Structures are given as structure tokens and as C-alpha cells.
Amino acid sequence: MVGGTAGVVWLVLPVMTIKGEVPVAAGRGEPVGSASVQGIEPDAGRGSTAQDTEHHPEDRSGYYSDGSTSPADLVLPLVAVGGVVVLAGYGYIRRTRRARTRTTPGVVSPQPPVTPLPVLERQAGTALVQADDCLRTSREELGFAEDRFGVDAVGPFAGALREAERELSAAFAIRVRYEHGVPAPEEEAARRQALAGIVGRCAEAGRRLDAEAPGFDQLRALERDMGDALGVAEGRFRELAGRTGAVEATLADLDARHPAPGASATAAVTGYVEQAKDRLVFATTHLNQARQATDLGDTGRAIRDLRAAEGAISQADTFLTGVDRLANSLAEAAKSVPAALTGAEAELARARVTPSADLTSAHTTLAAIREELTSHTPHDPLDALRRIVQALLPLGAGQDGVLGFAARLVARADIGAADGFVSTHRGAVGVDARTRLAEAQRLLDTDPVAADVLALEARELAEQDVRMHGNPYAGATDEHTSGVGGAVLGGILLGEDPDGGPPLSFGGPDTRKRRGLPPT
């Protein structure tokens, strides 16, 4: 702009300085002059002659005597204007580049689109489910390595598993607080940070497992020594097949001794024996295929079939153990009900000095349970203990002594049942059920009553997830798909192929990628 202005002034200034007079023609031999302007006279003592006009056609103002401009005086302004054009072009190009890079101070760069909070919540939920699946799968394969090599040999891997469990527990705790409004819903930045914390904790849990996965693979050395690993799996398979009949008889006995009206005392393990048999059928198929692949030298296929069989064997064990554990819990609860009822009645008697609606409700509940005992009415001992503890809870009792013992007994039984169900159906169970289960496990020692409530909620949510998931392999009779539906439902296989897809193994998300497995 400055250069352009200078050029214009250069062009205009001479015009502004022309004397305001009309040039006159010079006669032969007469001085060439003009009328005086503003009282300024021509140089005294010297007049212009015709000879001066011939040799000096320009006057001192830089114009010809007829008022036209000299060409020499136009060159510099034109050069100046040209320079201005060049500088302006350079400035425009530079500004354009800065606008593209947005590095110029004071220029606001466009921000990337902000991910909506619901999307971040789904991502955090997916991270929790994936990390939980990795831990459960790693725990199952670790059991086979321990059977073969001993506790000391698998110590580092068991330690990594415990560290990953702590990270995942912390992630679930953050989600529990998030669900309870901490941080507050209006504090969006803080809630985003909380969700990032969940994802970060899950990533750290996976990293702990991934860091130990190569060493774990070296310990098992399946590529070099498939025979011994197959022997361990086949031994556990035979032991479980032998247990199936005894567990089936135990379940029938429980149904006969505790035919509680409404919900049966054995409802939590209904169908478990049949599902254990289904997993064992699947294991039989893949153990045989692993043997055949080993004989043919197809090590990769043998490892895949072995891991699938190991996963099914572990889950069959979970089903059968769930029935045995329930039988033990019911027996212990049946022994504890009389003492717990007596202790609750004593607490009730001490509280009668201040009558209230809670007191009346507690008295009604305890009287009904006393009637069941004296009349030998069939009932669920675990449910009887639960009702006793909950009846006294509004009165400030139920956490200590015999009632505290009863509360912990019931909570442990329900947490174990929920955990077994999630483990054997993890291919369908979502984040809500897993979150409540994790919180129940965390509260078991400090608040068993709340832990029991959460465990029951977790089981109910997990069952809803399974009903929504369905079984795409239902009715399959081919030997290669027999039991595949249960294996996919149990998270043993990923389910993206007609035969159920590849099995999972010890490690975190990076281990899955290394083995070519998609994330769950």
C-alpha cells in the first residue's frame, strides 16, 4: 500500500506543480517566457531564447514547454507500482498458506469434531467387556499350564493375571461411580475424563497380560510338545466325564429336598448338567481333531483344536462345580437358619421399646420363617437367611455376629452363581451385568447385604442378555458344529465362521491381534 501510494504521488505531483499560465509561442529572436504567476518573476538578467528552446525543450518543472510529461519521469513510478504488485502477490500466497496450516498466532484453528458422550460410554463399555473376557480366558488356560508344570512355574503369569484383575476392578469401580452420577451429569469434561480413565485402566490390564503372553507360550511350547499338553487335557476331560453322573444325582437330590414353592432352591443351576455335557461333546470333537492334526504334522491346526477343547473343558468344570457349590451352600445355610433366626428374634425384642413400621414388618417376616421351620415346610435355606438379614437391616442389625455370618454366606453363594453364569455365557453377557458383579465382589467383605443385592441383579441382567442373544447354531447335528453354539455362547470361539471361528488364549488385545484374532 505504501509503495502504491508513493507511485501515485510521483505521477500526480508534477501536475500539481505546473504553473497556472498559458504557454505562448516565441517569436523569432524573442525570449520565451510566460506570464508571472503568484508574483514570481522569471530569472532576472537572463531570458530564454529560441536557441535555448531548441536545446532545452523542457522547463524546470520537468514538462515540455507545451505542458506534456517527459518519458524518463514515468519509468520510476511504473517500476514502483510493479514492485507493489509483486509484494502483494507474495503476501497473498503467504496468507493462504498460513490459513491452510492455521499456525498464525491469533487465527483460530478448526477443532476436530467432539465425540458425543454416549459414544464414549459405549466405547468404555466395550473396553470393559473385552478386558474381562481376556482375563477369564487367560485364567482358564493358566489352569492347564499349572496342571502340567506346577504352581511355581506359572508364578509370573499368575502374578500378571492378579495385576490385570486389580486394574479391571478399578475400571469397574469408576463405571459404578459414573452410573451413580459421579462426576455430576453437568460436569461433562469431568465425565469424559472418567470414561477415559475406564478405557486406560482396561488397556493397562490388557498390557499386563500381553507382556507375559510370549513367555507363557514359551512355557507351554505347544509347537514342540503337543503330546504332553494333549495328555493333560484328556485327563481332565475323563475326570469331568466321570463326575457328570454324580453331579446329576446331587442335583436331583437337591430338587427333592428343597422343592420350594415358587422359585426352586436349585433354580440358579437349572440345566447346568446338560450344558456341561454339551461342552464335553464339543471337547471330544476337538481333542480328536487335535490328535489327528498332530499325527499329520499340522501343528497350527492342532494348537487351535487343543485350545478350543481346553476352553470347553474349563466351562464344563464350571457348570459341574456350580452344582456342587450350591449343594454345599444349601447344606450350610440349613444348619445356620435356626441360629440366625434366634439371633434375629433377640435383636427384635431389644428394639421393641420404640415401635415402628419396620419393627412390625420384621416381626411378620421372622414369624413366617419360624412357622416354616416348625412345620417342616419345604423352603430354600439360602432364601430364608436372606429374608432374616434383610428384615433386621432397617433396625440397624444384620452386619455382625450370627447375622453377619448369614449375610456373608448368602452373598458368597449368589456371587459365585452369578460369576459362573457370566463365565460360561460371556459371549452374550454385556457390561451392565459384569459391572454389578464386579461391585458385588468388591463389597463382599465390607457390606455383604449390598453385595448380595448386586449379585442377584447381575445374574438377572446376564440372563436377559443371553435370551436376547439366542443361539444361531441351535439344531445343528453335524459333528463339526455339535456343541459350537454353546462354545460361541461361552466365548470359547468368536463365532464369525461356520465352525465357530478361532479359539481365544492367554493374553490381552495385542496378543489377539498377533494371532490374527478380531477383538470381541
Side-chain angles (χ1 to χ4, degrees):
M1 292 296 295
V2 173
T5 302
V8 172
V9 170
W10 202 325
L11 289 171
V12 175
L13 184 61
V15 176
M16 297 174 60
T17 58
I18 298 174
K19 298 176 177 59
E21 56 194 4
V22 179
V24 295
R28 189 184 304 252
E30 295 180 352
V32 179
S34 60
S36 63
V37 179
Q38 298 179 355
I40 300 176
E41 295 293 333
D43 290 343
R46 184 181 184 275
S48 295
T49 64
Q51 185 178 2
D52 292 332
T53 304
E54 290 178 14
H55 296 288
H56 302 284
E58 298 176 73
D59 64 12
R60 293 175 185 173
S61 66
Y63 279 73
Y64 289 107
S65 58
D66 63 355
S68 60
T69 306
S70 170
D73 290 327
L74 293 176
V75 174
L76 289 177
L78 291 175
V79 171
V81 172
V84 169
V85 172
V86 172
L87 291 175
Y90 172 77
Y92 173 79
I93 294 173
R94 194 174 178 189
R95 284 195 303 272
T96 303
R97 290 177 178 174
R98 285 181 175 177
R100 290 173 181 172
T101 58
R102 301 298 184 189
T103 58
T104 304
V107 177
V108 179
S109 300
Q111 297 297 322
V114 177
T115 304
L117 208 59
V119 175
L120 296 178
E121 292 170 351
R122 288 193 296 271
Q123 291 173 352
T126 299
L128 286 166
V129 170
Q130 183 184 64
D132 192 41
D133 282 349
C134 288
L135 261 71
R136 293 179 184 276
T137 301
S138 298
R139 194 179 297 118
E140 290 173 355
E141 189 173 2
L142 185 66
F144 286 93
E146 183 177 325
D147 287 347
R148 181 181 174 190
F149 300 104
V151 176
D152 293 339
V154 300
F157 314 112
L161 188 61
R162 288 191 295 270
E163 292 174 356
E165 288 170 347
R166 284 193 289 270
E167 293 290 341
L168 183 60
S169 178
F172 275 121
I174 296 173
R175 188 174 193 270
V176 169
R177 293 193 296 272
Y178 187 92
E179 289 181 334
H180 292 168
V182 180
E186 60 271 16
E187 299 176 1
E188 182 172 334
R191 288 178 76 78
R192 288 177 177 275
Q193 186 175 3
L195 294 173
I198 293 173
V199 175
R201 291 280 191 172
C202 292
E204 180 61 17
R207 190 194 67 78
R208 301 284 178 113
L209 296 175
D210 286 325
E212 297 296 334
F216 184 79
D217 290 342
Q218 291 178 3
L219 175 68
R220 296 204 75 187
L222 297 179
E223 293 82 358
R224 300 191 306 272
D225 196 2
M226 175 63 70
D228 287 349
L230 271 171
V232 171
E234 289 168 343
R236 288 188 62 179
F237 170 85
R238 288 190 293 269
E239 185 268 331
L240 291 172
R243 279 180 59 195
T244 303
V247 172
E248 192 168 20
T250 298
L251 185 57
D253 181 63
L254 292 175
D255 286 331
R257 287 193 289 115
H258 303 287
S264 169
T266 60
V269 294
T270 299
Y272 271 25
V273 174
E274 288 74 18
Q275 292 186 68
K277 291 178 180 179
D278 180 76
R279 298 294 195 276
L280 291 177
V281 169
F282 179 85
T284 299
T285 300
H286 285 272
L287 285 173
N288 290 335
Q289 291 177 355
R291 280 287 181 192
Q292 294 169 3
T294 301
D295 294 339
L296 294 173
D298 189 352
T299 304
R301 181 68 197 186
I303 293 174
R304 173 173 170 153
D305 284 317
L306 173 65
R307 285 195 166 119
E310 288 176 342
I313 291 169
S314 293
Q315 294 195 7
D317 190 6
T318 300
F319 283 124
L320 298 179
T321 300
V323 176
D324 287 337
R325 184 173 53 239
L326 177 62
N328 294 333
S329 297
L330 287 171
E332 191 172 4
K335 295 177 183 178
S336 302
V337 169
L341 183 58
T342 301
E345 290 170 339
E347 291 283 351
L348 191 61
R350 286 191 290 270
R352 281 179 179 170
V353 294
T354 56
S356 65
D358 291 334
L359 189 64
T360 302
S361 176
H363 176 75
T364 302
T365 299
L366 297 182
I369 296 173
R370 176 64 69 182
E371 177 63 23
E372 291 174 0
L373 290 180
T374 57
S375 63
H376 303 288
T377 301
H379 64 280
D380 179 352
L382 285 170
D383 183 62
L385 286 179
R386 184 183 298 110
R387 287 185 289 153
I388 291 171
V389 171
Q390 291 179 348
L392 271 291
L393 197 61
L395 304 178
Q399 298 288 342
D400 300 318
V402 65
L403 294 179
F405 173 82
R408 285 186 290 274
L409 174 60
V410 173
R412 277 197 303 269
D414 288 334
I415 289 174
D419 186 62
F421 187 88
V422 171
S423 288
T424 54
H425 300 81
R426 60 179 178 265
V429 177
V431 67
D432 291 336
R434 298 177 195 236
T435 301
R436 282 162 177 76
L437 175 58
E439 184 67 0
Q441 292 168 332
R442 189 182 70 85
L443 294 176
L444 176 59
D445 294 331
T446 58
D447 191 351
V449 177
D452 182 56
V453 172
L454 288 167
L456 293 175
E457 290 179 0
R459 176 63 183 264
E460 182 179 358
L461 289 170
E463 289 177 350
Q464 291 176 6
D465 289 338
V466 171
R467 287 194 294 271
M468 292 291 294
H469 182 271
N471 181 6
Y473 299 92
T477 57
D478 185 83
E479 64 172 339
H480 296 292
T481 58
S482 180
V484 168
V488 172
L489 186 63
I492 300 168
L493 303 178
L494 295 180
E496 75 271 10
D497 295 335
D499 64 348
L504 304 179
S505 60
F506 185 99
D510 287 349
T511 302
R512 293 184 175 188
K513 294 177 184 178
R514 177 165 56 86
R515 290 176 176 155
L517 302 177
T520 55

